[in-house]
Amino acid sequence: MIELLNISRSFTVGDQQVTALRDINLNIGAGDYVSIMGPSGSGKSTLLNLIGLLDRPTSGVYRIDGGNVTDLNDEQQARVRSEKIGFVFQSFHLVPRLSARMNIELPLMLAGVAVDQRRARVEELLKNYGLTDRADHRPDQLSGGQRQRVAIARATSMRPSVLLADEPTGNLDQTTGREVINLLEQLTEQNVTLILVTHDPALGSRAKRQLHMVDGQIVSLTESSR
Amino acid sequence: MKFIDVVQFAAASLRGSRARTLLMILAMSIGVAAVVVLTALGEGARRYVINQFSSLGTNLVLVFPGRTETAGIGPGMLLGQIPRELSLDDAQALLRSRAVGRIAPLTIGSSQISRNAKNREVIVLGSTYNLLVIRHMSLGQGQFLPAGDVHSSESICVLGAKINRELFGNESGVGKQIRLGDRRFRVIGVMTSQGESMGFNTDEIVIVPVASAHILFNTSGLFRILVEARSRDTIEQAKKDVEIILFARHNGEKDVTVVTQDAVLATFDRILRALTLAVGGIAAISLAVAGILIMNVMLIAVSQRVQEIGLLKALGAPAAQIRNLFFTEAVLLSGVGSAVGLILGEAGVLVIARIYPSLPVAAPWWAVLAAIFISLGTGILFSVWPARSAARLDPVTALAGR
Ligand SMILES: Nc1ncnc2c1ncn2[C@@H]1O[C@H](COP(=O)(O)OP(=O)(O)OP(=O)(O)O)[C@@H](O)[C@H]1O
Ligand SMILES: [Mg+2]
């Protein structure tokens, strides 16, 4: 469902060209579990941002479900993000003044989902992620693990087909990190495509497909038969 | 995104930075309140003047000797003549016009009034019976000047309420004798106390028959003729007739000025309206300043919430929606600000009305509308830029907080 064809991305810094991605070709199917690993500065985040339509490639073609999304305008891309893509960030990115419940509700609200439908879905998510008794707490009243659970609940509230996680355990201790990864992995069982950027080889090796990047290129693609 | 959600989200952001929000609302509301209070004062002054004028009489045409507004040199002036005075017969002749209802000739002078040992300086008005009716005056005791021959110079007088008090204490002076200059007058009536009107205190005057005043001051001219038209519709006709009659009597010399009270009133009305507009305009500038403040604060808000904006984009909010959110925040700010300002302003007007009960203060509706429109307008106008700059942010850099 995700097809990258000869994707390149370079940045202009001053009068210098920095190439973050070189000629990437990649196919990811529905329900795939892909981890992306590699040294710092190898282009992992840049790749994830491109897949998430937060960024545009300098050249190449990107297709989702067979449709070319590189040519879409900003508004159309926003719609694709809203309907098909969920993000989980290293630093959670919760809106500080909003309660856990309202943070989870945010994508539904932005998409204009009806209130009673919204409420039902949010309550269900709060229950699934064990946040019911924390629903009215603001992010600064939550632990790191709880925050990331809120972020995952938010990322899945629109039932996206692709979940993009950029070092989701980077700010968490090992046990909490495991829990978070477990939650994400459970989603793949519901046919959600999970793309996970991580520095932790132990976590990365749990994925069915493991991408190794160096210097803006995919150097190896391991298919584990787990 | 549903409208109600947009409003709630914007309101939540405003609540999130309470001090800033309150300051903005304060700035906006002071501007609106200033417009309301200042225009209410101006409008109050205008209404005050109009009320005062209408208390002087209705459907009035005023005749003065001399031509006040001609700049040219007439033949009379070349001959070194002073303009011919208005005579009592001139006044009587005006009754020939069918548009004219009543007239009251007016002579004015000042004299010494005395009764036994008490004496004081007093303004003496020479007129006729009709003055009472035309000027809407009211008599307290006794009688007013008798209707009858205007040339009759009976030695009778009507006292203002205060003059009566000074000369006779709490008693009525009716039937008693007083002296004006070296002539003796019999008091036939006392006016009720009316207080000041148009800088002319009727409580401190003495009214005598016009012919008696002419003798007293040794003149034959009139200071003014008050002409009352038969109805509102005949005011202009009466004015024309008065001019025709007087010019004819003065051998075609245009040496009198005839104005309608309405024209005088209209002039005051114009001046005071312009004044109200001017103070209102000055107050409106503070609204514009408040608008600029809102813009700055919204720009700061955008830079403080860069990560949030990036997040909203990642969650699928298109640029238009983000613009809309910030826009709504600014509109809410100026909306609440103008509502608070209206309440403050109206409260201020109430306080002024308490302190100066004689001043009919009330903010004119157009000023209230203008204040609301300007505050909302500046709020909207000055939020466009911050809202656009928020919507233009690149999501990746915004998320990174750069
Ligand atoms: N906005 C930008 N402007 C200029 N250069 C950029 C920009 N974003 C990324 N780069 C460059 O692109 C390259 C890839 O960056 P990227 O953030 O994708 O690395 P990464 O693999 O995610 O690293 P890390 O593991 O440290 O997060 C780096 O050399 C980086 O300096
Ligand atoms: Mg990275």
Side-chain angles (χ1 to χ4, degrees), chain A residues 81 93 97 110 112 118, chain B residues 2 5 307-308 313 399:
Chain A
R81 278 202 297 273
H93 279 307
R97 62 177 179 279
L110 291 171
R118 227 152 76 184
Chain B
K2 295 191 185 337
D5 289 327
Q307 291 209 354
E308 180 187 324
K313 290 200 160 183
L399 273 169

Side-chain angles (χ1 to χ4, degrees), chain A residues 9-13 18-21 38-49 55 90 166-167 197-199 213 215-216, chain B residues 394 396-397 402:
Chain A
R9 175 69 166 110
S10 50
F11 297 97
T12 322
V13 182
V18 180
T19 306
L21 295 176
S40 185
S42 55
K44 306 181 294 291
S45 297
T46 308
L47 180 60
L48 209 66
N49 289 336
D55 197 5
Q90 177 177 357
D166 196 345
E167 299 182 40
V197 169
T198 182
H199 277 281
M213 291 188 69
D215 211 10
Chain B
D394 169 55
V396 176
T397 20
R402 276 177 276 158

Side-chain angles (χ1 to χ4, degrees), chain A residues 77-202:
Chain A
Q77 287 200 342
R79 203 184 162 80
V80 174
R81 278 202 297 273
S82 166
E83 288 171 353
K84 296 193 173 167
I85 300 169
F87 289 93
V88 178
F89 304 95
Q90 177 177 357
S91 51
F92 321 128
H93 279 307
L94 302 178
V95 180
R97 62 177 179 279
L98 299 182
S99 65
R101 177 185 276 115
M102 288 175 77
N103 265 291
I104 297 173
E105 199 179 345
L106 201 51
L108 300 165
M109 195 180 87
L110 291 171
V113 176
V115 175
D116 37 354
Q117 216 178 325
R118 227 152 76 184
R119 289 281 140 77
R121 208 179 298 178
V122 171
E123 291 312 316
E124 185 192 318
L125 285 165
L126 284 166
K127 206 175 93 213
N128 289 353
Y129 288 95
L131 291 163
T132 310
D133 51 344
R134 292 279 179 272
D136 296 314
H137 290 217
R138 272 185 284 111
D140 57 0
Q141 297 163 324
L142 298 174
S143 73
Q146 287 165 340
R147 285 184 214 178
Q148 201 58 302
R149 293 214 299 271
V150 172
I152 294 170
R154 181 180 64 191
T156 56
S157 64
M158 284 292 287
R159 307 214 168 110
S161 46
V162 183
L163 203 65
L164 305 175
D166 196 345
E167 299 182 40
T169 60
N171 284 353
L172 301 174
D173 64 54
Q174 202 155 10
T175 13
T176 329
R178 287 282 160 171
E179 285 167 24
V180 165
I181 292 297
N182 280 335
L183 292 173
L184 291 173
E185 285 177 355
Q186 276 166 28
L187 291 166
T188 61
E189 286 156 24
Q190 298 156 27
N191 215 31
V192 174
T193 308
L194 174 64
I195 305 177
L196 176 75
V197 169
T198 182
H199 277 281
D200 185 342

Side-chain angles (χ1 to χ4, degrees), chain B residues 92-105:
Chain B
Q92 287 301 107
L94 299 182
L95 287 170
R96 291 208 307 264
S97 160
R98 285 208 281 135
V100 170
R102 281 184 270 253
I103 60 135

